[in-house]
Each structure stands twice: as C-alpha cells, then as structure tokens.
C-alpha cells in the first residue's frame, strides 16, 4: 500500500511495509509511538519539494477545494510505475481521493483508518523525512497559513457582499448630506438673491451658478452658458437686476463658496460611487440586477446581511423585506398586511397601476428569489436567467394591464347602455286662455261636505255605544235569577246610567241635523 501525505514543504509518498497493521485502527498509534517504530512501519519512496511560496499556495488552494493540481498529477504519474498502479493509494482528503481515482484510474482509499494513519505520520514527520528539521517545518506552516488566510479574505464572496453593503449605505448617507447642504446654501445665498431659488431647482446647477457668479451684481457680465441653458440664463440675469435681496459682504460670500464647493465635490464623488456599485452588482449578482436594478438589489442584500443569507429567504419574505414595522403593526392590530417593501422601488412594480401593484410585487419577488439563488449558488457568470425572467415579467405586466383595462371598459359600457343621454327641454310658456274663474258658491258646498265628514265619526261612536249597551243588557238578564236583592239595586243603578247615556247620544245626533237644516235654508235664499 502507498500513502500520499501533504506537507508545507512538498508532497511525500510513503510505502507501507506491513498492511496487516491497519486491520486494527485503534492500535495504529502504537506503531508511531517512537521514531524507530515509525521507520519500521513506513518507508519514504519519493518527495516533491515546492520551488517557492507561489507553488505552495496554488497546491494548498487546490487541496482545500479538493482538486488535483498540475504539480501533484505530474508527481504521481512519474513516481508510480506499472506495478505500483495495481496497489492501493491512501489519501487523507476524500474529495482529493475521488479526483485522483477519476483522472489517474488508481485504487484510492480514504476512510477512518486512513485518518488514523495520517495522524501518526504527522506526529513523526521530522524523522520520516530526512533533511527537514522541525523548526523549518514550523516556519513553513506559519508562513503558508498566513498566505492562505490572506488569499481567502481577498477572494471571499462575503468580502464582496461587504463592499456592496458599505457602498449602498454610503450612497444613502451622501444623498442625505447633499440635500442638507443644498438646502443650507439656498437659504444662505437666498438672502442675497432670493429669486434664483425658484428659477434653478437642480442642486448642482445652483451651486455652480453661485460659484461662478458670486454677487448678483455680476450676473450681467458673467457667462453662465456652461452651467445653464440660454432661456434659464436670461431669466436669472433679468431677475438679478430687479432682485429684492439684501447686500452681503465678501467674507459671507467666501463661506458660501466653500459650501458650494462641498456640494460640487460630494456630487462628483456620488457619481463615482454609483458607478463602482453598479460594477460590483453586475459582477456578484447579475441576474438580480437585471431584474430589479442595482440600487434595489444592493438594498435587498444590505437588508439581509449578505447574498447567501438573502438566497435562503423565501419569495414571501423578499416581497415585504423592508416593511417589517408595518407587517408587525398590521398583525397586532389585525389589519391588512403590507404588499411590498423595498421592491416598491423596482421599475416593474413602479410601472404597474395602483390596483395591480400587489400582484406585480408578488410575481417580482418570486422571480427575484430564483435569480438570487442562481447568483449565490450557481457557477455561471452573467445574467443567464435574469434576461429571460425580465421578459416574462414584462409580459405578465402587459397581461395584468390588459385585464384591468377590459374590466374598466366593460363597467363603463354597462353604464352607457343603462343610462340615457340627458336632453335639455325648454319650459312651456304660460297660457292665459287656460285660466278658469271659480264660482262663489263653491266654498259653501265645501262647508256642507266638511259637515258630512264630521258626522261620520259621531255615528260610529253611537253605534259603538249602542252595541256596548246591548251587550250589558244581555249580561244582566242572565245574572238576574242568580243575584240577591243587592244585585237588583245595582241593576237599577245601571239602567239609570244607560238611560242617561242614550239621552246624551240623542242630543249629539240632533246637533248635526240642525246644521243641515240651516245650510239648506241658506242655499234656498
């Protein structure tokens, strides 16, 4: 059996004298307890030394990734003869063992027994390899470990994520500072030339005009064609002649110029930083950049912490990323949850109408989740998936907009069919020939009719009373044989009351009759 061992100085190939010692893995450490025992167990067959630190770094990098480097492949092909190819090669790393077996077609072993054997060789490496002192080996280990750490830090994907996160945070801070400085210079110079604040809206152009013009009295002599268009330049010069601002000193103007210089320099640096961020995003997340843009993609990565953390998030989380406060407030108050967070600033979501923004944000989040996983875990470079997904999203947007327009059109069509068009009609003129003179006796007849209407409820009252009286009489006749003398007295009292009520009713009937007679007499007259 042959054993391949990697050292900071180079590759070592050992020959196992007795393979039966590997039958008991727990007893392997006994064969490396001393230098003599180690030399009896293994014999150095070949050693390939690294020429410089660069070769050592490339070899160690390939070993870490589990790949077969060119130097190791050349060493094994030259040292292994036809007889050795039939033997088994023991390798400590399983990934390296698989690549060696695939490319060189050798029987390779990498298991727990092999790891115990490697541990024993490492303990007696200075005695097994002659001419390699332990102090030199330790120095080589220290230098190679530092070089490997620097290499990993230089090409780490987390490092690139950190640069994107820092760049987008700095870009947001620069925007805030620019707004603050621009507002300050407008307020400061506005005391001298207040009309220019309304004429020039752009902050950079305002600062350049302040820097080149100085006092407003110099406006007529100053050439502002490099900063402003001709029409706006003429308006500024005309406004400077009739300005209502106060006078300022040279010292005040000097401080205003310093502030204007700050605005110009920060704006130029912001443009440079945006280009840097754009290039970084195109290199690390091309598919996400193609789908949602550089700024939105960088903000998503910064919010998640890294591209790898963002790739672990589902589409529903990516959709509301950045709206956590609104989400928990909605859950607490049992209201509707937010439909979008940072994705609201994506171009596809911004192009959608108000009614379909939620649907568009959900579909963009779904496709963005796929793009992020391809960027984080895929090996391909460039927007391989992003362009195709972008085309699908644009088609989906057109489809949703078509549905919204058709629904609005059908609603308006139904209203037109059901509602007639308003037509203005002129009012008819007053016709005097249609007037009719009313007779004088009509109000008298009306009075008689009113009297008839008044009689009807009285008759109803009488009929009600007579019915009640008859009912009482029938009840009394049934109770007469049963009652005593006292009851007879009570009956007489009731009869008297009946007579009184009947008399009152007759008097009420006579009154309307008299009224009728009087009205008839008046008519005759």
């Amino acid at each position: 059996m042959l054993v391949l061992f990697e050292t900071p100085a180079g590759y070592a190939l050992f020959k196992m004298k007795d393979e039966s010692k590997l039958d008991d893995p727990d007893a392997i450490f006994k064969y490396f307890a001393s230098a003599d025992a180690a030399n009896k167990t293994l014999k150095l067959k070949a050693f390939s030394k690294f020429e410089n630190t660069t070769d050592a770094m490339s070899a160690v990098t390939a070993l870490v990734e589990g790949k077969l480097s060119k130097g190791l492949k050349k060493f094994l092909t030259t040292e292994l003869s036809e007889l050795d190819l039939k033997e088994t090669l023991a390798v400590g790393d399983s990934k390296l063992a698989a690549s060696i077996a695939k490319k060189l077609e050798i029987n390779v072993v990498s298991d727990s027994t092999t790891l115990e054997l490697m541990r024993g060789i490492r303990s007696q490496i200075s005695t097994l390899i002659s001419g390699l002192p332990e102090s030199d080996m330790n120095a080589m280990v220290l230098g190679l470990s530092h070089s490997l750490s620097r290499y990993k830090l230089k090409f780490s994907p987390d490092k690139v994520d950190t640069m994107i996160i820092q760049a987008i945070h700095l870009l947001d801070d620069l925007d805030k500072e620019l707004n603050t400085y621009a507002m300050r210079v407008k307020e400061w110079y506005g005391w001298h030339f207040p009309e220019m604040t309304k004429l020039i809206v752009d902050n950079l152009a305002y600062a350049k005009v302040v820097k080149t013009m100085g006092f407003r009295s110099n406006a007529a002599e100053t050439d502002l064609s490099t900063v402003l268009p001709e029409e706006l330049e003429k308006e500024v010069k005309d406004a400077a002649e009739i300005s209502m601002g106060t006078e300022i000193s040279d010292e005040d103007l000097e401080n205003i110029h310093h502030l204007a210089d700050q605005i110009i320099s920060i704006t130029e640096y912001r443009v440079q930083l945006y280009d840097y961020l754009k290039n970084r995003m195109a290199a690390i997340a091309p598919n996400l950049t193609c789908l949602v843009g550089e700024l939105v993609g960088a903000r998503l990565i910064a919010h998640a912490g890294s591209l790898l953390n963002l790739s672990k998030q589902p589409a529903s989380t990516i959709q509301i990323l950045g709206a956590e406060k609104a989400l928990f407030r909605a859950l607490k108050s049992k209201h509707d949850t937010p439909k979008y967070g940072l994705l609201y600033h994506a171009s596809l979501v911004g192009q959608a109408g108000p009614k379909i923004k939620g649907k568009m944000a959900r579909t963009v989040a779904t496709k963005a989740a796929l793009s992020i996983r391809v960027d984080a875990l895929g090996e391909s470079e460039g927007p391989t998936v992003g362009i195709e997904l972008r085309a699908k999203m644009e088609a989906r947007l057109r489809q949703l907009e078509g549905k919204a327009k058709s629904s609005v059109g059908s609603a308006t069509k139904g209203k037109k069919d059901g509602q007639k068009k308003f037509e203005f009609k002129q009012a008819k003129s007053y016709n005097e020939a249609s007037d009719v003179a009313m007779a004088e006796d009509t109000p008298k007849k009306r009075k008689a009719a009113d009297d008839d209407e008044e009689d009807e409820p009285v008759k109803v009252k009488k009929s009600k009373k007579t019915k009640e009286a008859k009912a009482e009489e029938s009840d009394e006749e049934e109770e007469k044989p049963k009652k005593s003398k006292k009851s007879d007295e009570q009956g007489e009292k009731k009869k008297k009351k009946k007579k009184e009520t009947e008399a009152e009713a007759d008097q009420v009937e006579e009154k309307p009759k008299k009224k009728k007679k009087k009205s008839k007499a008046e008519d005759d007259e």
Side-chain angles (χ1 to χ4, degrees), residues 448-465 508-509 511-513 515-516:
D450 294 339
D451 295 337
D452 293 339
E453 290 176 358
E454 290 177 357
D455 294 342
E456 290 178 2
V458 177
K459 291 178 181 179
V460 172
K461 290 180 181 179
K462 181 182 176 184
S463 62
K464 287 182 180 180
K465 289 182 180 180
V508 172
E509 286 180 356
K511 286 180 181 179
K513 287 179 181 180
K515 288 181 181 180
K516 285 181 181 181

Side-chain angles (χ1 to χ4, degrees), residues 5-7 12 14 28-44 47 116-134 137-138:
F5 188 78
E6 305 89 4
T7 66
F14 294 98
I28 291 177
F29 72 94
K30 296 178 182 178
Y31 305 116
F32 295 93
S34 61
D36 296 335
N39 288 322
K40 290 178 181 178
T41 305
L42 292 175
K43 181 183 177 182
L44 181 64
F47 185 79
E116 290 292 333
L117 181 62
M118 295 295 174
R119 189 176 290 111
I121 294 172
R122 194 176 295 110
S123 63
Q124 298 294 336
I125 188 66
S126 58
T127 58
L128 291 172
I129 301 174
S130 59
L132 192 62
E134 188 175 358
M137 182 67 73
N138 292 335

Side-chain angles (χ1 to χ4, degrees), residues 424-430:
F424 178 74
K425 294 180 180 180
Q426 291 183 353
K428 293 182 179 180
S429 59
Y430 183 72

Side-chain angles (χ1 to χ4, degrees), residues 16-114:
M16 189 80 180
K17 295 180 179 179
D18 189 4
E19 296 183 8
S20 61
K21 294 180 180 180
L22 300 177
D23 295 339
D24 188 7
D26 296 334
I28 291 177
F29 72 94
K30 296 178 182 178
Y31 305 116
F32 295 93
S34 61
D36 296 335
N39 288 322
K40 290 178 181 178
T41 305
L42 292 175
K43 181 183 177 182
L44 181 64
K45 185 178 181 180
F47 185 79
S48 175
K49 188 178 179 181
F50 297 132
E51 294 181 0
N52 48 36
T53 311
T54 306
D55 293 342
M57 269 298 304
S58 61
V60 171
T61 306
L63 287 174
V64 169
E65 296 175 356
K67 297 179 181 179
L68 181 63
S69 62
K70 293 181 180 179
L72 180 58
K73 184 178 180 180
K74 184 179 180 181
F75 171 68
L76 291 175
T77 51
T78 54
E79 295 297 333
L80 295 177
S81 61
E82 295 181 357
L83 296 174
D84 295 333
L85 291 174
K86 296 179 181 179
E87 294 186 5
T88 305
L89 180 66
V91 181
D93 190 8
S94 58
K95 292 182 180 179
L96 180 62
S99 60
I100 291 172
K102 184 178 180 180
K103 292 184 178 180
L104 300 180
E105 297 180 356
I106 304 173
N107 295 327
V108 183
V109 177
S110 179
D111 52 9
S112 59
T113 306
T114 307

Side-chain angles (χ1 to χ4, degrees), residues 50-51 89 102 105 124 181-182 193 197 211 238 254 260 271 279-280 296 309 356-357 383 433 468 480 497 525:
F50 297 132
E51 294 181 0
L89 180 66
K102 184 178 180 180
E105 297 180 356
Q124 298 294 336
Y181 284 3
F193 192 2
T197 306
K211 183 70 178 173
D238 293 342
E254 184 179 357
V271 174
N279 295 330
R280 281 288 185 182
V296 178
N309 291 342
I356 60 173
K357 274 189 187 294
E468 291 175 358
K480 275 181 182 179
K497 287 181 181 180
E525 291 176 358

